[in-house]
Amino acid sequence: MSNKILRRAASALLACSVLALFTSCGGTKAAPPSNPTVPVMAAEVEQKDVPLQVKAIGSVEAYSNVSIKTQITGELTGVFFKEGEDVKKGQLLFTLDKRPLEAELEKAEGMLAKDEAQAANAQAQA
């Protein structure tokens, strides 16, 4: 019985091989490529001067932006950088008018001296 199974398997294998041979050797020609060839123009290499600047219309977007906000209000008296220039950590960028701030500090110091005098007076009377 195993001989019979072996013959059937061999016959099936032979039939598949013959079928594969006939289907691969078909008489149809391959389809031509869908993209036709494109003609190419060639030119000789020349050395020329080229402009260093190109004038064009377009838009530019900054790689990164930084918003600067003050912690106090005041009038600007100096700007120590140019727009678009790189700045370093700790670099002085702006100066503010310090006169209003100095006046406010003197007022606070005066109020402190007054309050200390009143406290000393109240302690002396107690």
Side-chain angles (χ1 to χ4, degrees):
M1 181 137 182
S2 68
N3 219 4
K4 199 174 189 182
I5 294 174
L6 190 58
R7 278 188 195 165
R8 282 188 182 177
S11 297
L13 184 61
L14 182 63
C16 287
S17 300
V18 171
L19 184 61
L21 181 66
F22 284 129
T23 57
S24 64
C25 294
T28 60
K29 293 185 178 179
S34 61
N35 295 338
T37 58
V38 178
V40 177
M41 296 180 62
E44 290 187 32
V45 177
E46 296 178 16
Q47 185 173 359
K48 291 183 178 180
D49 292 334
V50 293
L52 296 176
Q53 295 180 354
V54 176
K55 294 183 180 181
I57 297 173
S59 62
V60 177
E61 187 174 321
Y63 178 72
S64 63
N65 292 321
V66 177
S67 297
I68 300 175
K69 296 180 182 177
T70 61
Q71 294 177 345
I72 57 172
T73 59
E75 185 177 335
L76 282 176
T77 58
V79 178
F80 298 96
F81 69 97
K82 293 179 183 172
E83 188 173 339
E85 181 179 68
D86 289 337
V87 295
K88 296 179 179 132
K89 183 178 180 180
Q91 179 181 340
L92 180 65
L93 302 177
F94 302 102
T95 55
L96 298 174
D97 185 10
K98 58 185 175 182
R99 292 177 296 178
L101 300 173
E102 288 174 343
E104 195 171 322
L105 175 63
E106 289 176 6
K107 179 181 175 184
E109 287 173 344
M111 292 294 288
L112 177 63
K114 176 187 152 203
D115 291 342
E116 286 175 343
Q118 284 180 347
N121 188 24
Q123 194 173 20
Q125 287 182 0

